[in-house]
């Protein structure tokens, strides 16, 4: 049997050594590796149109209308079902996408670099909350907002980022954990810190009206930084992939139908199980658990990197929204040390005497302790076209870890 | 046997592993008890436990 401890130390050390920075923006078709004109990227493990959940279908419909490939919902559904469109997971293209995670060729994306290893990662800009494409909405207002993001926000952001040359995201994430963020469901502190960096550069590089419009939007959207924290986690985790003999998880991802994981020592293989509906959630007025789609999005990359639910002890406000106490959040974070390889040397939980966040999920520990990773997440309506209905807390399904342990033992024994 | 008898004459401080109902019964009669959140490895699945043993070098 291979030396798993040594392999895991290598994977863990690589994750901790990452230095994620934002270096620019570009159109998906121009910058994302392997992107094609007829390709749509999606969150989670691989899936076909016929198995896609409502919100992911809704977001595909919206993307086809946005791209000008379909004039309406009916035509978009026909194209999506025809086989003309190639669907591919974001994770197969060094990208991540929240919720439905749809990325189409014309969409502008952030370009991140891991300065330690030189690898890159990509993600779209965050659209805000409620009726948005990533939650499965595709009405005219959703498409108009996406067009505004492409035509007004993207050029302004791009110019400001290039003026600054780079923005150090590790630094922002570390500070935000001290400001009540866990970087998955709460990005208020990180968005504020990002705003302080981007605003002066935007004033320097764009006209006053554009600056006002874009900065007002960033200010109104506390989740602006989610679409930076996610690729920051992705670009940090990717160098820990493909380490022979490592049982460290390098991706937790959901497409709203399946929950999937990838393990460093198991190459690009996905281990999947049905995605669960978050059992503990706060729903927007007028919505209930009956409306909820099963767990969806690449955003569990945050937990994979030791943030999000793993750092919920740093974010009491997130626990409060489902009726929990700060102690409940700390207990959740403390329990995640049971299933991780070590503690982060930069990302800390202030209320645990600045202890490093539990980092590097070990499939062996998850199965031995029978303790699944804990995720805090947004919830989309199960039908296409509606959007977000709430937010909640969910455990990863144990079956994916059991399958991974069996496959790992088979490969290496 | 005598030592055991002495134990029950003192105030009991109990650590309970496993079934929560044992803890609740002690709670009902005012005995201090700490519940350990323990679950059977792999949920008791033998195939997974066999694979896990290989990975843990047991």
């Amino acid at each position: 049997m291979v030396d798993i401890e040594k392999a895991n130390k290598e994977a863990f050390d690589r994750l901790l050594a990452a230095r994620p920075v934002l270096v620019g923006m570009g159109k998906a078709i121009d910058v994302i590796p392997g992107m094609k004109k007829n390709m749509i990227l999606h969150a989670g493990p691989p899936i076909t149109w016929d198995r896609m959940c409502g919100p992911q279908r809704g977001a595909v419909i919206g993307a086809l209308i946005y791209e000008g490939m379909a004039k309406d919902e009916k035509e978009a559904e026909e194209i999506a079902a025809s086989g003309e469109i190639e669907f591919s997971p974001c994770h197969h293209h060094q990208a991540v996408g929240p919720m439905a995670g749809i990325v189409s060729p014309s969409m502008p994306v952030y370009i991140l670099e891991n300065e330690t290893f030189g690898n890159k990662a990509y993600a779209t800009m965050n659209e805000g909350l409620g009726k948005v494409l990533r939650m499965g909405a595709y009405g005219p207002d959703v498409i108009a907002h996406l067009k505004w993001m492409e035509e007004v926000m993207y050029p302004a952001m791009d110019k400001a980022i290039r003026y600054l040359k780079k923005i150090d995201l590790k630094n922002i994430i570390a500070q935000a954990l001290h400001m009540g963020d866990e970087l998955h469901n709460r990005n208020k502190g990180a968005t504020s810190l990002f705003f302080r960096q981007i605003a002066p550069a935007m004033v320097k590089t764009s006209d006053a009206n554009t600056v006002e419009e874009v900065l007002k939007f960033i200010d109104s959207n506390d989740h602006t930084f989610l679409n930076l924290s996610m690729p920051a986690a992705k670009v940090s985790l990717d160098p820990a992939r493909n380490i022979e003999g490592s049982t460290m998880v390098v991706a937790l991802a959901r497409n709203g139908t399946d929950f999937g994981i990838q393990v460093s020592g198991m190459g690009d293989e996905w281990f999947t199980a049905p995605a669960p509906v978050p059992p503990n959630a706060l729903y927007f007025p007028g919505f209930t658990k009956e409306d909820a789609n099963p767990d969806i999005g690449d955003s569990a990359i945050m937990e994979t990197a030791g943030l999000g639910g793993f750092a919920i002890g740093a974010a009491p406000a997130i626990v409060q929204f489902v009726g929990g106490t700060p102690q409940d959040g700390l207990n959740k974070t403390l329990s995640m040390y049971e299933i991780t390889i070590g503690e982060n040397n930069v990302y800390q939980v202030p209320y645990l005497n600045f202890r490093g966040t539990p980092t590097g999920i070990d499939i062996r520990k998850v199965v031995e302790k029978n303790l699944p990773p804990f995720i805090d997440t947004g919830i989309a309506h199960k039908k296409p076209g509606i959007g977000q209905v709430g937010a909640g807390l969910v455990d990863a399904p144990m079956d994916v870890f059991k399958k991974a342990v069996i496959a790992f033992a088979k490969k290496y024994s | 046997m005598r030592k055991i008898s002495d134990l029950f004459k003192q105030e009991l401080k109990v650590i309970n592993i496993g079934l929560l109902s044992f803890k609740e019964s002690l709670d009902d009669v005012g005995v201090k008890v700490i519940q350990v959140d323990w679950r059977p490895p792999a949920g008791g699945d033998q195939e997974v436990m066999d694979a896990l043993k290989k990975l843990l070098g047991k």
Side-chain angles (χ1 to χ4, degrees):
Chain A
M1 178 62 81
V2 65
D3 188 342
I4 295 175
E5 303 306 331
K6 190 178 167 194
N8 280 348
K9 184 176 185 315
E10 173 69 19
F12 180 75
D13 287 350
R14 283 179 176 225
L15 172 56
L16 260 52
R19 294 206 317 269
V21 293
L22 173 62
V23 293
M25 296 191 72
K27 291 285 184 79
I29 187 70
D30 298 327
V31 296
I32 292 184
M35 190 69 186
K36 300 172 188 172
K37 280 183 182 172
N38 67 333
M39 182 178 273
I40 288 184
L41 306 185
H42 61 78
I47 192 162
T48 49
W49 170 256
D50 58 304
R51 290 190 69 244
M52 270 186 198
C53 66
Q56 200 157 51
R57 281 183 172 223
V60 168
I61 292 167
L64 290 171
I65 296 171
Y66 165 79
E67 291 288 341
M69 294 168 79
K71 63 178 187 304
D72 56 24
E73 176 185 350
K74 188 172 173 293
E75 192 178 9
E77 283 185 324
E78 284 167 8
I79 293 170
S82 70
E84 278 178 53
I85 302 298
E86 191 177 335
F87 295 106
S88 188
C90 289
H91 268 292
H92 293 188
H93 300 266
Q94 297 171 226
V96 276
M99 303 306 287
I102 296 303
V103 183
S104 62
S106 304
M107 289 183 184
V109 292
Y110 293 120
I111 304 169
L112 276 70
E113 187 178 318
N114 181 339
E115 286 191 320
T116 310
F117 298 96
N119 60 300
K120 288 191 165 61
Y122 309 87
T124 57
M125 295 183 289
N126 193 283
E127 312 159 69
L129 291 174
K131 273 196 145 191
V132 286
L133 189 83
R134 74 175 187 281
M135 297 283 179
Y138 55 83
D141 47 342
V142 175
I143 306 301
H145 183 55
L146 287 173
K147 284 290 175 193
W148 175 83
M149 290 177 78
E150 180 185 338
E151 290 161 9
V152 179
M153 185 174 180
Y154 158 50
M157 293 285 277
D158 186 39
K159 280 187 271 184
I161 295 163
R162 289 187 197 280
Y163 176 80
L164 291 167
K165 294 190 172 58
K166 68 177 182 183
I167 296 179
D168 183 341
L169 301 179
K170 190 164 192 171
N171 185 296
I172 290 179
I173 291 169
Q175 289 185 68
L177 284 164
H178 293 190
M179 297 165 73
D181 285 358
E182 40 64 83
L183 284 307
H184 186 165
N185 247 315
R186 194 176 196 272
N187 279 280
K188 205 181 187 85
T191 297
S192 303
L193 294 169
F194 177 72
F195 186 96
R196 284 170 63 179
Q197 295 208 29
I198 202 84
M202 202 175 287
V203 168
K204 193 86 178 169
T205 51
S206 289
D207 68 86
N209 287 340
T210 301
V211 171
E212 184 186 9
E213 268 187 62
V214 175
L215 291 185
K216 266 188 177 172
F217 175 63
I218 293 175
D219 179 57
S220 72
N221 178 17
D222 287 338
H223 273 318
T224 294
F225 196 82
L226 174 65
N227 289 44
L228 289 164
S229 59
M230 284 177 54
K234 170 73 175 163
V235 87
S236 301
L237 279 155
D238 271 359
R241 283 175 175 263
N242 299 310
I243 293 173
E244 194 71 2
S246 172
T247 54
M248 192 173 98
V249 176
V250 290
L252 299 171
R254 316 86 97 198
N255 55 35
T257 302
D258 306 314
F259 189 114
I261 67 167
Q262 290 180 305
V263 179
S264 176
M266 295 301 290
D268 293 332
E269 189 171 354
W270 286 94
F271 302 96
T272 63
V277 174
N280 195 3
L282 175 73
Y283 289 98
F284 297 162
F287 296 106
T288 69
K289 192 178 175 185
E290 298 306 308
D291 300 303
N293 194 76
D295 200 18
I296 182 168
D298 285 332
S299 55
I301 195 73
M302 301 316 301
E303 282 75 11
T304 321
L307 295 163
F310 283 46
I312 202 163
I318 297 297
V319 195
Q320 191 187 27
F321 77 45
V322 287
T325 65
Q327 189 61 48
D328 292 333
L330 288 170
N331 289 345
K332 280 292 182 190
T333 291
L334 285 169
S335 70
M336 292 298 103
Y337 290 106
E338 299 284 326
I339 58 167
T340 42
I341 293 168
E343 298 175 13
N344 200 287
N345 57 352
V346 174
Y347 303 150
Q348 303 165 332
V349 182
Y351 315 112
L352 294 175
N353 290 326
F354 299 104
R355 188 175 177 184
T357 62
T359 302
I361 301 164
D362 185 342
I363 56 168
R364 299 174 306 167
K365 293 184 178 180
V366 172
V367 170
E368 186 182 23
K369 306 280 170 65
N370 203 15
L371 180 62
F374 167 76
I375 299 160
D376 64 80
T377 188
I379 302 171
H381 199 286
K382 63 187 176 187
K383 290 182 185 164
I386 297 176
Q388 186 171 10
V389 294
L393 312 173
V394 65
D395 287 335
M398 278 302 300
D399 277 356
V400 294
F401 300 95
K402 291 179 180 177
K403 286 177 183 174
V405 160
I406 288 171
F408 194 98
K410 200 172 174 185
K411 177 177 177 183
Y412 286 99
S413 58
Chain B
M1 194 63 200
R2 183 162 176 190
K3 277 192 175 176
I4 291 286
S5 304
D6 289 345
L7 178 68
F8 284 101
K9 288 173 190 162
Q10 300 165 23
E11 184 190 1
L12 289 177
K13 292 172 184 169
V14 180
I15 298 170
N16 185 52
I17 300 172
L19 290 177
L20 191 63
S21 58
F22 288 9
K23 174 191 181 291
E24 289 167 349
S25 299
L26 291 168
D27 282 340
D28 290 344
V29 291
V31 173
K32 287 180 185 171
V33 53
I34 291 172
Q35 176 71 16
V36 177
D37 184 14
W38 181 87
R39 305 166 199 192
D45 184 322
Q46 194 59 51
E47 185 191 5
V48 183
M49 281 198 285
D50 289 345
L52 185 62
K53 278 180 191 168
K54 289 180 190 167
L55 270 53
L56 293 170
K58 289 180 181 172

